[in-house]
Amino acid sequence: MITLTINQQPYQIEADPDMPLLWALRDLIGLTGTKYGCGVAQCGACVVHLNGEAVRSCVTKLSRAAGQKIVTIEGLSKNNDHPLQLAWNEVSVPQCGYCHSGQLMSAAVLLRENPNPTDQDIDNAMAGNICRCGTYPRIRKAIHLAAELQKKEGEAK
Amino acid sequence: MKISRRHFIKSTGTAGFALWLGLSAKGLPQKHTAGSALQHFSPFIRIEANGKITIYNTKPEMGQGTFQSFPSLIAEELEVTLDQVTILQSNGEKELGTGQRAGGSASIRTSYLAMRKVGAAAREVLILAAANKWNVTPESCYADRAKVIHKPSNKSFTYGALVEDASKLELPKEPKLKDPKNFNILGKSSKRPDVPLKTCGKAEFGIDVRLPEMLYALVVRCPVIGGTLKTFDAKEALKVPGVKKVAAVERIVGKYHYTGVAIIADSYWNALQGRKKLRVQWDTKGYETFNSVEYEAQLRKLGDEEGLTDKNIGSVETAQILPENELEAFYETPMIAHHTLEPMNCVAQIKDNKLEIWTSTQVPSSVTGTGANDLHKYVGFTPENIKLHAKFIGGGFGRRLYMDYIIEAVNVARLTDKPVKVIWSREETTQQGPFRPMTFSKMKAGFSTAGKLMTFQHKVISPSYFESFQADYDQSKVDSIMVEGIGEQAYEVPNLKTTYVRAECHVPVAAWRSVTSSTLAFAHECFIDELAYKAGKDPMNFRLELLSKPSDSKKVLLKLKELSSWDTPLPQGTGRGVAIWDFFAGLCGQVVEVSHHKDKSITIDRVIALIDLGEVVNPDNVKNQVEGSIIMGLTAAIKPGITFKNGEVAEHNFYDNPLLRIHESPKIEVHILADGGKIKGVGEPGLPPFAPALANAIFAATGTRFRKMPFQLKTE
Amino acid sequence: MIMSIILTMVGVMAFAWRSGSKKEAMLPLSALPLKKDSIASVKAFEKVYRVLMSPRCMNCHPSGDIPLQGDDSHLHEMFPKRGKDGKGLFAMKCGNCHQPSNTPGKHSPPGNAEWHLPPANMKMVFQGKSAAELAKQLIDPKQNGNKSMKQLLAHSEDGLVRWGWKPGEGRTLPPMSHAEFKKAWETWINNGAYAPKSNQ
């Protein structure tokens, strides 16, 4: 039995400890917002937060994830209102949308560690996430907007 | 399109609707349960007595925005706002017609008037129903935001209150369309309702479908394309915990039939473990000798053949051209894969001789249809017994026009009565095709002694698209898909000849975003550039001189010249290139600016695109599409294609078949021309002009002419 | 842009300078009982140098801030950056893809619990260095993370160093066994840690 804490919710699953977290999330637990894209840590569609870091769940074994704090796209915010989600919606970033769970989870770490990212910081954080539809210009724009929203949110508090 | 005369569909098939994805006003999904008194004003609209309005989107959503743009056409004329309606994705239902497909950038350009009429007809009967209730003339009433209002008295009825009466009235055949100046939705940028679903993980793609008791499967396919299954030994694989069944299954793509070995397990992970233990022997049937390098040489040699004549205007043969006034060039483009980020997948279940399918497909109508090439023909179920649940598509680009992965999943589903989800790995999605074919172009042109362009020839050498689908393909005919656009450019040349040389190929051919224009525009528009330099003219002005008569191309180029400040000189080491392409999907022109650096690398400073649409639904979405087309065009221009070594695809995954990443993405400005002219498409036209505009800019900056894709952004 | 047509993935052997006890770190070089045999030392370093310049070691000791990948040491696809601590930046930290152990599969990320580059303030560049330059750099406490000779000696047994000899499927091994490398490493240091002449 493996215990996972996902989006603050405990889950007990019976699975091979070598199974990648991705498949446990999608097939065993039913959190399908995290996507399979490449299986070898190339595309970033499967990014989730493991103790706050943007790990690629396709290569993260359950044995590493067990007992740790996991956040998936479903848990990034309660009402789709993380500054990044608001910005993504405002800028209409996605096309097909398949990569954007991963894009958002990667961007969330960037914004937490660097509330005022430059274009270079965005490249440094986001070059691991592939978007086949080519929404990169909008991802860039939305991250800048999210940084502003986050700042305003902070000021309001 | 004919508007259905039926006032409403009696059998609303509530069980079928029950699982359809709906969107509430807040854009969050909900399970739709059909109420009573459902009123259809056409199959596309349903208004309920409680005021709920539903519009069916029949164009599968793969990122191109039809989930909103198609219903917008109806909503505009129905006089409802988009947040007053629920949009439901259609699933290939018969009453919604055979146009439930997304391809060819066709959704809006072929529905623009027809769907507005659908909305307008419903609006007119609602107004009439209200007028009858008040006993006033319909002319004294108007519709606004899902209400009919009597102008003099300001009395109003909601659509819900009118629906029962309205449904008894005859729908007008030629309803009056709104004056575009009164549009509330069309032509205005707005937020797409699918976007919030895609930012919180709730959008359901085919691969996300989960059903009770669902099993998972993968299929081991012959690594040598064209090979076939000899034997397999599943003894060890079946010992792997969770593995349920191992069996041979067929996949059909076009005229090709392949057999692989399916492993069914209780999870995809366990199926993957089973795969490690499976022993398979293939008969590669001689295809193991197929190599891209040799195939390229073969295509180059075929360039010497005369080929079949496509367009022939004037006579290139008899035009008097001095040898020094002639120019020839040879252009090459590789095979490429679609690389949809959602790998191929399909859920299928066979129960009580009925087939149910959950998948991402560009062609719902072909899955449930009765046509000769529709799914029923390949799977042995009658169309009435095939039921589809069409899901959001994690990238189409032409790949999901083909039903090979559905046919294969149906064959897997025959092995159990439970639903089975077949997942292709990234490697399988990369390596098994179908692919955009290798396409070469032999160009030749000549000037008169006075410097006028007299002859222009474009010979296409490639495998045939149609031959890949038809075993009895007539080889004496030009494959119209493989020469698309090259005979239809607006340039005025007195003697024009386009020809086609068919190359043998055993690898299945696919349409890839913008189809053959993604390759031919590169040759065509780069060669025009070469001719401009030969003539000693500015490439923009040279093109405009070839466009003396009014045309959309001329209009676009003139505007693009202004938008790009073409006549403003650029500093040393930088250069501008232009290209334009007019084809079945639409028309777009682009100017690219590049810099050549001391270390010989090249960077793209700016891309200016102008797309000609006639009419525009959601300008912001159009911009998103053109940005994406440019990035996909850049990817195809500079990233490796698909190559074969010993019959196998040499590339596997993104590490050896990389896609463009954010740090490589250039600055893009998109402009839209929507001046009421011919309605053109959005999803593809931004792609073909990019690679030639880039190569032309590189030539302007460096003097190096790239004639083979992919090329690297650096000079020797 | 990087045209990566390389089938093999990252190969890295980082020298993980874990700081030893303060006392050791303060030991001056002269305090160590060293034999002074410049010929034996320099000869041993030739072997050491061959190992350090092999892709398994050099790939994580790049001259820039982006690690290298593959047997041809091309820039790492997707351009992850060093970061201050050598562990990457933001959403692109080494450990996000590189697991505590190698991920199975020819093209999957190799792994080790300590996976990282040298930190930004002590880059310990191998790429492009001559044998002389590298030897001098390795023994310079200002460039080697304040390592004493004793700590330096022990470093051939570092976990990340040892990973170089278990790099996972599809990655070329360093040009000699770990035992041979260790012997050369110790011979080099124990005989005075001499640097070869600059032209070597």
Side-chain angles (χ1 to χ4, degrees):
Chain A
M1 205 56 102
I2 292 169
T3 305
L4 297 171
T5 308
I6 306 165
N7 306 331
Q8 298 177 334
Q9 193 75 19
Y11 293 87
Q12 298 261 320
I13 55 169
E14 194 81 64
D16 178 356
D18 280 349
M19 185 189 217
L21 175 61
L22 170 70
W23 298 113
L25 288 172
R26 292 181 52 81
D27 295 352
L28 305 183
I29 294 160
L31 291 169
T32 55
T34 304
K35 305 301 185 198
Y36 165 59
C38 71
V40 290
Q42 283 280 325
C43 78
C46 69
V47 170
V48 301
H49 294 175
L50 182 82
N51 299 332
E53 296 296 353
V55 303
R56 276 141 205 260
S57 62
C58 72
V59 290
T60 303
K61 290 175 181 176
L62 284 179
S63 55
R64 181 183 176 194
Q68 313 298 307
K69 253 178 68 187
I70 298 155
V71 178
T72 68
I73 183 69
E74 290 91 345
L76 183 61
S77 70
K78 278 209 174 77
N79 301 305
N80 204 5
D81 57 0
H82 184 285
L84 282 161
Q85 290 168 315
L86 296 174
W88 243 246
N89 293 337
E90 179 60 32
V91 178
S92 293
V93 175
Q95 289 185 27
C96 91
Y98 194 77
C99 71
H100 287 286
S101 301
Q103 302 278 4
L104 283 156
M105 296 311 278
S106 287
V109 173
L110 166 65
L111 218 56
R112 185 189 68 215
E113 296 187 353
N114 183 343
N116 240 326
T118 61
D119 278 348
Q120 182 62 52
D121 295 329
I122 292 172
D123 284 351
N124 289 347
M126 303 301 294
N129 288 76
I130 290 174
C131 174
R132 179 52 158 166
C133 298
T135 61
Y136 300 129
R138 284 169 188 248
I139 290 172
R140 190 180 297 286
K141 195 173 162 192
I143 291 175
H144 285 306
L145 174 61
E148 277 173 43
L149 294 175
Q150 185 175 260
K151 212 181 293 164
K152 276 185 202 151
E153 209 176 71
E155 283 160 10
K157 270 176 194 169
Chain B
M1 190 177 295
K2 219 176 91 198
I3 292 167
S4 169
R5 298 283 303 274
R6 280 175 302 171
H7 300 152
F8 60 94
I9 293 163
K10 282 203 177 97
S11 162
T12 49
T14 48
F17 294 148
L19 286 172
W20 287 8
L21 173 72
L23 293 170
S24 72
K26 283 181 184 156
L28 293 171
Q30 56 183 31
K31 288 270 161 65
H32 181 78
T33 41
S36 57
L38 302 175
Q39 310 292 345
H40 286 251
F41 286 92
S42 96
F44 298 95
I45 307 168
R46 182 171 66 196
I47 300 174
E48 293 167 46
N50 63 9
K52 184 172 176 179
I53 301 165
T54 304
I55 298 179
Y56 299 114
N57 169 42
T58 63
K59 305 298 180 185
E61 174 60 53
M62 53 182 169
Q64 83 282 41
T66 47
F67 190 72
Q68 179 202 46
S69 59
F70 184 87
S72 291
L73 300 174
I74 297 171
E76 177 68 67
E77 295 286 348
L78 185 60
E79 291 294 5
V80 293
T81 62
L82 281 176
D83 49 17
Q84 288 177 312
V85 302
T86 298
I87 299 168
L88 290 185
Q89 184 64 51
S90 77
N91 297 298
E93 297 86 345
K94 215 180 273 167
E95 60 269 26
L96 289 167
T98 56
Q100 298 172 65
R101 53 180 71 243
S105 308
S107 295
I108 296 303
R109 66 186 169 89
T110 60
S111 315
Y112 191 77
L113 285 177
M115 287 303 120
R116 283 177 58 201
K117 280 184 186 172
V118 165
R123 180 193 71 222
E124 286 191 5
V125 290
L126 286 161
I127 289 176
L128 187 58
N132 290 348
K133 273 184 181 248
W134 289 317
N135 204 12
V136 299
T137 62
E139 289 72 29
S140 63
C141 305
Y142 68 99
D144 181 36
R145 280 169 287 177
K147 276 183 187 168
V148 178
I149 299 143
H150 180 232
K151 215 173 181 179
S153 67
N154 218 21
K155 287 185 291 195
S156 69
F157 280 119
T158 64
Y159 283 0
L162 295 168
V163 74
E164 202 177 330
D165 288 0
S167 67
K168 290 171 189 149
L169 300 169
E170 191 82 0
L171 281 172
K173 274 185 217 151
E174 288 301 329
K176 195 162 175 273
L177 296 179
K178 284 175 74 172
D179 184 333
K181 72 172 193 284
N182 297 324
F183 281 168
N184 299 312
I185 301 170
L186 303 184
K188 297 179 168 58
S189 286
S190 60
K191 307 257 182 327
R192 285 160 34 223
D194 52 319
V195 166
L197 300 177
K198 292 171 176 175
T199 55
C200 65
K202 284 187 176 146
E204 194 183 32
F205 297 85
I207 203 168
D208 299 331
V209 169
R210 299 180 83 240
L211 298 167
E213 297 197 294
M214 187 174 79
L215 298 173
Y216 295 80
L218 58 81
V219 178
V220 183
R221 303 176 190 84
C222 184
V224 171
I225 304 287
T228 187
L229 179 66
K230 211 193 250 168
T231 58
F232 66 93
D233 175 1
K235 219 167 77 198
E236 295 303 313
L238 284 164
K239 286 183 193 159
V240 172
V243 172
K244 309 265 181 200
K245 211 159 207 172
V246 179
V249 291
E250 192 184 46
R251 165 177 164 243
I252 305 171
V253 47
K255 68 175 183 184
Y256 302 100
H257 292 237
Y258 301 121
T259 306
V261 183
I263 302 174
I264 302 180
D266 58 356
S267 72
Y268 181 61
W269 177 250
N270 283 340
L272 283 171
Q273 304 318 302
R275 179 185 189 148
K276 291 180 192 161
K277 304 280 181 185
L278 181 72
R279 299 284 163 265
V280 189
Q281 281 194 308
W282 305 104
D283 176 2
T284 53
K285 295 185 357 194
Y287 293 119
E288 72 282 359
T289 61
F290 184 66
N291 285 296
S292 292
V293 177
E294 290 156 23
Y295 192 63
E296 283 177 19
Q298 201 181 315
L299 258 63
R300 278 179 210 123
K301 210 163 157 233
L302 282 174
D304 298 335
E305 291 195 5
E306 202 180 320
L308 302 164
T309 303
D310 170 41
K311 272 267 156 62
N312 197 1
I313 295 164
S315 168
V316 294
E317 287 84 6
T318 57
Q320 302 284 314
I321 307 294
L322 295 172
E324 66 265 31
N325 292 335
E326 271 187 347
L327 193 66
E328 281 188 47
F330 201 84
Y331 283 83
E332 305 185 2
T333 58
M335 279 188 195
I336 48 181
H338 301 81
H339 285 313
T340 62
L341 207 56
E342 179 193 6
M344 294 300 109
N345 66 84
C346 177
V347 180
Q349 182 174 25
I350 295 169
K351 219 177 171 182
D352 307 325
N353 209 28
K354 287 195 160 79
L355 170 61
E356 203 164 347
I357 293 163
W358 297 258
T359 197
S360 314
T361 171
Q362 291 178 242
V363 290
S365 279
S366 301
V367 175
T368 61
T370 56
N373 290 313
D374 290 344
L375 185 69
H376 71 96
K377 189 191 151 191
Y378 302 99
V379 296
F381 288 84
T382 57
E384 313 84 79
N385 286 329
I386 301 175
K387 187 170 174 168
L388 170 70
H389 305 267
K391 299 296 165 185
F392 280 126
I393 304 173
F397 316 121
R399 177 61 184 90
R400 287 184 163 97
L401 289 171
Y402 309 102
M403 295 186 291
D404 59 307
Y405 61 96
I406 300 175
I407 296 167
E408 188 185 62
V410 172
N411 289 331
V412 175
R414 289 182 211 278
L415 304 168
T416 166
D417 61 354
K418 298 197 166 66
V420 194
K421 184 195 284 186
V422 180
I423 299 175
W424 294 40
S425 68
R426 170 58 53 197
E427 288 77 8
E428 289 152 2
T429 301
T430 302
Q431 298 189 307
Q432 289 291 326
F435 303 112
R436 184 184 80 178
M438 193 183 282
T439 309
F440 289 6
S441 292
K442 193 173 186 179
M443 314 299 297
K444 192 176 178 184
F447 292 94
S448 69
T449 45
K452 180 174 159 34
L453 184 64
M454 296 302 293
T455 63
F456 191 96
Q457 297 179 67
H458 188 158
K459 183 190 288 177
V460 178
I461 308 122
S462 75
S464 157
Y465 180 84
F466 286 119
E467 190 184 14
S468 186
F469 291 89
Q470 300 161 11
D472 57 350
Y473 173 72
D474 181 356
Q475 297 183 1
S476 70
K477 291 204 174 110
V478 174
D479 184 326
S480 57
I481 291 218
M482 298 318 301
V483 295
E484 75 187 20
I486 59 172
E488 279 91 45
Q489 299 308 303
Y491 300 127
E492 297 144 18
V493 189
N495 306 290
L496 170 87
K497 191 173 183 181
T498 60
T499 48
Y500 174 62
V501 181
R502 189 188 61 89
E504 294 288 343
C505 189
H506 68 284
V507 180
V509 171
W512 185 95
R513 195 176 193 173
S514 79
V515 202
T516 321
S517 286
S518 69
T519 70
L520 302 182
F522 173 61
H524 210 91
E525 276 292 281
C526 284
F527 191 60
I528 289 279
D529 227 59
E530 292 197 61
L531 293 172
Y533 283 98
K534 181 154 175 84
K537 288 178 179 162
D538 170 84
M540 177 70 86
N541 295 335
F542 179 74
R543 283 174 171 81
L544 286 168
E545 282 173 24
L546 293 174
L547 298 166
S548 69
K549 298 176 203 149
S551 68
D552 287 350
S553 290
K554 182 178 186 173
K555 176 183 75 181
V556 166
L557 270 186
L558 282 170
K559 182 83 185 156
L560 191 57
K561 189 177 178 185
E562 177 196 320
L563 289 168
S564 64
S565 312
W566 182 269
D567 289 328
T568 312
L570 288 175
Q572 190 70 26
T574 58
R576 250 187 220 116
V578 62
I580 184 168
W581 196 248
D582 185 2
F583 69 124
F584 72 88
L587 171 62
C588 183
Q590 290 169 16
V591 167
V592 174
E593 290 178 11
V594 300
S595 292
H596 192 215
H597 303 280
K598 273 188 193 141
D599 66 356
K600 303 204 170 168
S601 68
I602 295 159
T603 50
I604 301 170
D605 303 324
R606 192 161 94 126
V607 183
I608 303 122
L610 177 63
I611 185 163
D612 184 37
L613 293 178
E615 302 288 349
V616 59
V617 175
N618 182 345
D620 182 62
N621 183 55
V622 170
K623 288 183 180 176
N624 203 347
Q625 284 300 300
V626 177
E627 289 160 8
S629 297
I630 287 168
I631 286 165
M632 202 161 173
L634 174 58
T635 309
I638 67 171
K639 300 286 180 182
I642 291 291
T643 60
F644 277 79
K645 261 189 201 133
N646 302 325
E648 298 183 18
V649 171
E651 294 74 27
H652 305 77
N653 199 320
F654 299 130
Y655 50 79
D656 56 4
N657 211 216
L659 299 177
L660 204 82
R661 294 178 182 272
I662 194 168
H663 63 281
E664 305 167 291
S665 171
K667 282 204 175 77
I668 302 169
E669 287 168 35
V670 180
H671 302 269
I672 298 168
L673 253 181
D675 55 4
K678 185 187 161 202
I679 302 171
K680 302 184 187 74
V682 169
E684 294 166 289
L687 200 146
F690 179 76
L694 172 63
N696 292 341
I698 290 171
F699 182 81
T702 70
T704 298
R705 173 64 67 186
F706 290 126
R707 294 191 186 87
K708 183 181 170 105
M709 288 207 278
F711 47 83
Q712 293 195 41
L713 288 180
K714 65 176 185 198
T715 53
E716 293 295 315
Chain C
M1 75 125 237
I2 303 303
M3 296 276 291
S4 106
I5 46 163
I6 301 312
L7 303 187
T8 33
M9 285 250 321
V10 190
V12 199
M13 182 173 108
F15 268 72
W17 301 111
R18 286 200 216 88
S19 41
S21 78
K22 228 176 189 174
K23 203 175 159 195
E24 274 180 345
M26 290 302 164
L27 273 177
L29 288 183
S30 55
L32 279 162
L34 295 173
K35 285 189 281 177
K36 301 280 181 185
D37 182 344
S38 67
I39 293 169
S41 179
V42 165
K43 202 170 166 225
F45 190 75
E46 277 170 27
K47 281 185 161 186
V48 169
Y49 182 67
R50 272 166 59 210
V51 170
L52 301 195
M53 296 308 276
S54 80
R56 293 298 80 76
C57 300
M58 190 183 75
N59 282 0
C60 274
H61 292 268
S63 55
D65 283 329
I66 300 169
L68 311 172
Q69 239 180 349
D71 283 356
D72 68 343
S73 300
H74 60 274
L75 285 177
H76 192 303
E77 171 77 19
M78 76 194 79
F79 285 19
K81 295 282 171 68
R82 182 191 305 273
K84 209 172 154 190
D85 59 1
K87 293 180 179 175
L89 275 176
F90 315 129
M92 296 240 276
K93 303 206 174 86
C94 309
N96 292 353
C97 298
H98 298 279
Q99 304 297 314
S101 59
N102 294 331
T103 299
K106 218 172 175 179
H107 307 284
S108 299
N112 179 281
E114 294 294 323
W115 203 268
H116 68 283
L117 266 63
N121 64 358
M122 200 77 70
K123 291 188 180 179
M124 188 45 78
V125 174
F126 291 2
Q127 189 185 15
K129 289 274 159 80
S130 69
E133 288 165 340
L134 191 49
K136 282 176 196 154
Q137 178 179 280
L138 284 167
I139 58 166
D140 177 3
K142 283 183 193 141
Q143 292 188 73
N144 77 4
N146 279 322
K147 278 252 167 323
S148 71
M149 278 301 171
K150 203 171 165 193
Q151 287 167 319
L152 207 54
L153 263 177
H155 199 68
S156 67
E157 284 294 339
D158 176 87
L160 196 48
V161 172
R162 290 203 69 125
W163 171 89
W165 281 268
K166 281 183 183 161
E169 234 181 298
R171 290 173 202 102
T172 308
L173 293 172
M176 66 195 71
S177 70
H178 179 258
E180 206 180 341
F181 165 71
K182 191 183 168 190
K183 201 176 144 204
W185 176 256
E186 287 170 358
T187 308
W188 170 57
I189 295 172
N190 287 332
N191 284 296
Y194 284 94
K197 283 190 189 129
S198 313
N199 60 359
Q200 273 178 305

